[in-house]
Amino acid sequence: MIVACSTLCFAHHTLADALRVMREMHFPKADLTIRPGGNHLTPAEVLADVGKVAQKLKTYNLPFTAFHLELEADDAAKDHLKAVCRLARLMTVPVVTVPAAAVGANPCDEVNRLAEWTKVAAGDGVILTVETRLGTITQDVAGAVELCKRVGGLGLTLDPSHYLCGPHPDANIEPLFPFVRHVRLRDSNRGPGGFQVRVGQGEIEYSRVITSLERCNYDRALTVDIRDTPDCPFPVDQEVRKLKFLLESLV
């Protein structure tokens, strides 16, 4: 396993500066977020010229371990996904992560959607994963597992904070690990505002997560994903360094 860094850790930087900071911190790879309205890279920019975007990304001299793709629910979503998967192939990025449908969505419709999208990704040799994310149908462990069982080739991007801070904080997440193809981590606790706290003040059991991943022969990235948000009460870069060193000591 390697320890990578999400571009969301430095969202107020330009993409070039965010990746420069990651290189200075000696991260070997980055997890690139592509989202509408983002100041780093948008799905529309990728669709407009995949080759040009690939050339630009290569100039930053930091390889990518995954693409974190946010899509608007419109007719362009599938075209944006195709473009990002093509970009992933050109950049030899193995995983593209998308959100699952919101809680209350029709499970059959979501299975059909993700089955189609998984085929799109597979056409470019890319693994499609869905996030374990609060507010979506994967916020429930059983729902996430059932989705992966019903959609051949679909994997999970595990983010344990969304379970700890969700409606079932004591849920056993062990059934998820055989389906995990990517991981994002920060420290979190169950208190008010506990989704993102300083490293060491939360309840995420990193060693237990890593042991469970090793048991399932997981050999991909652990991404530091401490979000650079306007209301964050602590310096993000310091916490990014702390979590990097902690995870590196465990793998």
Side-chain angles (χ1 to χ4, degrees):
M1 282 180 251
I2 64 165
V3 180
C5 187
S6 169
T7 54
L8 292 178
C9 295
F10 304 103
H12 73 283
H13 289 66
T14 66
L15 180 57
D17 284 344
L19 296 174
R20 175 185 53 77
V21 173
M22 291 180 205
R23 291 197 306 271
E24 291 172 352
M25 289 184 175
H26 302 292
F27 280 102
K29 291 190 176 183
D31 183 345
L32 174 61
T33 295
I34 304 171
R35 59 180 176 177
N39 68 334
H40 287 167
L41 186 63
T42 69
E45 288 172 328
V46 178
L47 180 61
D49 196 330
V50 176
K52 182 179 179 180
V53 171
Q55 289 178 348
K56 184 176 181 180
L57 292 178
K58 289 176 182 178
T59 66
Y60 296 135
N61 296 316
L62 186 65
F64 299 97
T65 187
F67 289 158
H68 172 185
L69 176 61
E70 299 277 354
L71 292 168
E72 294 180 345
D74 57 27
D75 293 340
K78 187 176 177 181
D79 289 336
H80 286 150
L81 174 69
K82 287 180 178 178
V84 170
C85 289
R86 184 182 169 211
L87 178 65
R89 175 172 58 83
L90 294 175
M91 300 293 298
T92 63
V93 174
V95 174
V96 172
T97 297
V98 296
V103 170
N106 185 308
C108 292
D109 289 344
E110 182 63 348
V111 166
N112 292 336
R113 180 182 75 102
L114 290 174
E116 183 180 10
W117 284 19
T118 299
K119 290 178 182 178
V120 169
D124 277 304
V126 175
I127 299 168
L128 187 75
T129 67
V130 288
E131 304 170 286
T132 58
R133 181 170 174 174
L134 193 61
T136 75
I137 61 178
T138 58
Q139 73 174 13
D140 174 73
V141 171
V145 169
E146 181 65 16
L147 200 57
C148 289
K149 286 182 176 179
R150 294 181 65 184
V151 180
L154 181 69
L156 291 176
T157 288
L158 175 66
D159 188 332
S161 296
H162 288 270
Y163 289 111
L164 184 66
C165 301
H168 309 292
D170 297 312
N172 175 23
I173 66 172
E174 288 297 320
L176 300 173
F177 287 100
F179 303 100
V180 172
R181 302 295 179 264
H182 190 52
V183 180
R184 300 196 200 116
L185 296 167
R186 71 193 64 75
D187 216 350
S188 305
N189 62 44
R190 305 174 208 215
F195 180 77
Q196 179 168 286
V197 299
R198 288 180 181 271
V199 176
Q201 295 183 356
E203 302 173 54
I204 300 296
E205 298 180 76
Y206 303 107
S207 59
R208 182 178 176 184
V209 170
I210 290 170
T211 298
S212 296
L213 290 168
E214 289 175 336
R215 195 177 296 124
C216 294
N217 300 313
Y218 180 86
D219 61 355
R220 301 179 184 275
L222 304 173
T223 291
V224 175
D225 190 15
I226 300 172
R227 304 292 173 90
D228 176 17
T229 59
D231 60 347
C232 186
F234 50 77
V236 169
D237 56 343
Q238 295 179 15
E239 300 304 307
V240 168
R241 289 182 187 274
K242 286 164 61 176
L243 186 52
K244 176 182 185 288
F245 294 145
L246 174 58
L247 293 175
E248 287 176 341
S249 73
L250 295 174
V251 297

